[in-house]
Amino acid sequence: MMRARGAQITDIVVLVVAANDGVMPQTKEAIDHAKAAKVPIIVAINKIDLPEANIDHVKQQLSDLGLLPEDWGGSTLYCEISALKKLGIDNLLDTILLQAEMLELTANPDTRAEGKILESRIDQGRGIVATVIIERGTLHQGDNFVAGIYPGKVRAMVDDHGNRISEAGPATPVEIIGLSDIPGAGDPFQVTENEKQARQVGTKRQELERLGAAKNVKKVTLDNIFDTMKEGSVQELNVIIKGDVQGSVEAVQNSLEKLSNDEIRLNVLRASAGAIIEDDINLAIASQALVLGFNVRPTPKAQALADYEKIEIRKYNIIYDAIDDIRAAMEGMLTPERKETVIGKVEVREIFRVPKIGVIAGSYVLDGKVKRNALVNVVRDSIQIKTDKISSLKRFKDDAREVAAGFECGVGLENFQDLSVGDILEVIEVTEVAKKLKSNE
């Protein structure tokens, strides 16, 4: 959870890897969370002063995980450091500042402070203490705020060196005293206009919490992925794959990645053998991902967390069933193709200008039929000049739903009034045809 929250809050991830140990399981988890949060990574290879340090081996391991060093032709920044001997620290700091400058990381200090709760605890002698990272604005001593669902007032602030301070700007971590209760790690922190507003917001959030709707999240599942796509909140489909053996996992990953196309991108955030554990669910929470299990089941704690956070875990025994489900979900996300069919042609033979109504075209149906509310292409001298909708269709003085070939009628268009005698109106029907995924093999 700490890795997931950290990746979501930070602007740049500094991944510290020991030169003697290399990539550990927790290193891979940290990389997964950073990639899911789309945060740039700077690698700091530590303990370079040890005799058993093997920097090239560490670079090779990280390159296999997608972090190719710049000096190897990649785009990931690497720094070689020794925390104990204080070697390379200045270079690391300069690299962080360079990356921040390239990314144009800025924040407005002249507004009410907003941030995130990193940790909170009860401190003997000081009461409830929370560590906050300020993301924008400036926090002042005496400000009223809401931390998660609890209101409070800043009684005192301490910086990361233990010094008392009176204000904290963007990117500043501070410990604050003055909370009414213990907020959760990762909860939002917001300064309010006054104490009354802080209490109102806190009370409302507590009511929502009691109703079980404080988070108000709608997680992505295979059943709702199409609706979520239409709402515009999903541009890609994130997937976590767990299996009983690595060979099956790799086969599934390769098959699913081939489903990606120009419109929809399928991202496999993690693919590994073993049971579905809490960290898999935490990654799914952070990235709104689906969890696919092959011949494996979630641990009790992972299942409980998934149920609470409404994360879908799909369990399969046959690989092709999973591929078919994901393919169907992605095809539902594709924008349907519009197909136009000409169902009739109408020739304009007279123009009538009716006060308060506009232009009515006295017309003759050449072939097919014309329907009220249908779309028409206005064709003049064999060139299509406009597409509009029929707003009125009359047979003599009576409204008509449709008029067949060989009959005269009066046609009025919704937005186009510049009709001329001799224009041809192509009456069209538009149907949407579901697209099918094309393999990238």
Side-chain angles (χ1 to χ4, degrees):
M1 283 298 292
M2 289 176 69
R3 282 188 284 274
R5 289 197 300 268
Q8 289 179 308
I9 291 171
T10 191
D11 294 310
I12 299 172
V13 168
V14 179
L15 183 71
V16 182
V17 184
N20 59 333
D21 292 332
V23 173
M24 306 294 282
Q26 58 267 34
T27 311
K28 295 180 180 178
E29 291 174 5
I31 292 171
D32 288 340
H33 284 295
K35 287 183 176 179
K38 295 182 173 62
V39 179
I41 299 173
I42 296 174
V43 177
I45 302 178
N46 193 23
K47 301 183 180 180
I48 60 171
D49 57 306
L50 296 180
E52 62 270 27
N54 191 337
I55 296 173
D56 287 339
H57 177 64
V58 174
K59 287 185 176 181
Q60 184 59 59
Q61 286 183 308
L62 292 172
S63 296
D64 293 340
L65 297 174
L67 301 179
L68 192 64
E70 276 193 327
D71 53 349
W72 288 15
S75 59
T76 305
L77 298 173
Y78 277 68
C79 295
E80 299 172 10
I81 65 170
S82 170
L84 187 65
K85 299 290 181 69
K86 294 183 172 52
L87 300 174
I89 304 299
D90 290 339
N91 181 43
L92 174 60
L93 295 174
D94 289 341
T95 303
I96 294 172
L97 291 174
L98 175 64
Q99 182 75 292
E101 187 175 340
M102 290 173 63
L103 295 173
E104 297 182 351
L105 299 177
T106 58
N108 180 12
D110 303 320
T111 185
R112 290 181 197 157
E114 294 180 19
K116 287 284 195 306
I117 302 293
L118 299 181
E119 292 293 347
S120 56
R121 67 185 190 280
I122 298 178
D123 188 275
Q124 196 170 11
R126 294 196 297 170
I128 300 171
V129 178
T131 305
V132 180
I133 180 76
I134 307 301
E135 295 178 313
R136 63 186 60 83
T138 301
L139 180 64
H140 303 88
Q141 186 170 330
D143 282 347
N144 294 285
F145 63 84
V146 181
I149 61 174
Y150 301 113
K153 184 174 184 176
V154 180
R155 307 292 180 193
M157 284 192 293
V158 179
D159 64 14
D160 53 323
H161 298 292
N163 301 318
R164 291 282 294 268
I165 56 176
S166 58
E167 63 178 37
T172 305
V174 288
E175 276 191 346
I176 62 170
I177 302 169
L179 295 102
S180 57
D181 211 325
I182 303 175
D187 282 354
F189 176 91
Q190 296 163 308
V191 169
T192 58
E193 188 175 355
N194 49 47
E195 184 178 357
K196 181 180 178 182
Q197 188 183 45
R199 291 187 181 279
Q200 287 175 339
V201 173
T203 302
K204 183 62 176 177
R205 288 183 181 176
Q206 289 173 38
E207 288 175 5
L208 293 173
E209 180 80 10
R210 281 193 292 271
L211 292 170
K215 294 191 176 180
N216 195 26
V217 290
K218 182 181 178 183
K219 298 298 182 185
V220 175
T221 69
L222 278 181
D223 297 325
N224 71 14
I225 188 72
F226 181 51
D227 293 335
T228 313
M229 180 67 180
K230 286 198 296 185
E231 291 167 7
S233 57
V234 172
Q235 304 300 326
E236 53 195 11
L237 182 58
N238 295 328
V239 176
I240 296 169
I241 304 170
K242 298 300 290 281
D244 54 343
V245 292
Q246 189 63 30
S248 298
V249 171
E250 290 177 1
V252 175
Q253 180 178 359
N254 291 336
S255 298
L256 291 181
E257 286 178 339
K258 289 173 183 174
L259 296 177
S260 293
N261 60 23
D262 293 338
E263 289 189 51
I264 305 168
R265 197 167 118 200
L266 188 143
N267 293 328
V268 178
L269 301 180
R270 177 178 295 167
S272 60
I276 299 168
I277 59 176
E278 286 178 274
D279 190 67
D280 298 321
I281 306 302
N282 288 329
L283 178 57
I285 295 168
S287 57
Q288 286 201 322
L290 303 173
V291 181
L292 308 182
F294 292 86
N295 298 316
V296 294
R297 295 293 181 266
T299 64
K301 287 186 176 180
Q303 185 65 63
L305 180 60
D307 292 342
Y308 179 74
E309 294 287 350
K310 300 182 180 65
I311 294 296
E312 182 177 32
I313 301 176
R314 288 268 175 145
K315 309 179 189 81
Y316 298 94
N317 295 320
I318 301 173
I319 290 175
Y320 295 109
D321 289 345
I323 295 170
D324 289 344
D325 282 355
I326 297 295
R327 179 190 293 274
M330 292 179 68
E331 285 178 348
M333 293 163 64
L334 289 171
T335 305
E337 290 181 343
R338 287 168 54 90
K339 184 178 180 182
E340 291 186 0
T341 305
V342 177
I343 62 171
K345 285 188 178 181
V346 179
E347 182 184 10
V348 177
R349 294 188 171 179
E350 196 70 48
I351 298 295
F352 302 97
R353 301 191 182 276
V354 182
K356 298 183 180 179
I357 294 179
V359 171
I360 300 294
S363 307
Y364 180 81
V365 183
L366 298 174
D367 59 51
K369 58 186 175 182
V370 56
K371 292 182 177 181
R372 193 194 323 163
N373 297 325
L375 289 174
V376 294
N377 293 326
V378 181
V379 179
R380 183 175 298 165
D381 298 328
S382 300
I383 298 173
Q384 180 180 323
I385 60 171
K386 185 69 176 178
T387 298
D388 203 354
K389 184 179 180 182
I390 295 176
S391 58
S392 68
L393 179 64
K394 291 185 180 289
R395 198 66 187 110
F396 300 109
K397 293 185 178 180
D398 299 325
D399 289 329
R401 293 182 63 182
E402 65 177 55
V403 179
F407 292 94
E408 295 180 338
C409 59
V411 178
L413 300 185
E414 201 168 72
N415 299 309
F416 189 66
Q417 303 290 309
D418 190 24
L419 290 169
S420 299
V421 174
D423 287 350
I424 299 296
L425 307 182
E426 288 182 344
V427 186
I428 58 174
E429 274 187 346
V430 178
T431 55
E432 292 187 343
V433 180
K435 285 185 183 177
K436 297 294 182 182
L437 285 174
K438 296 179 182 177
S439 175
N440 286 334
E441 294 182 74

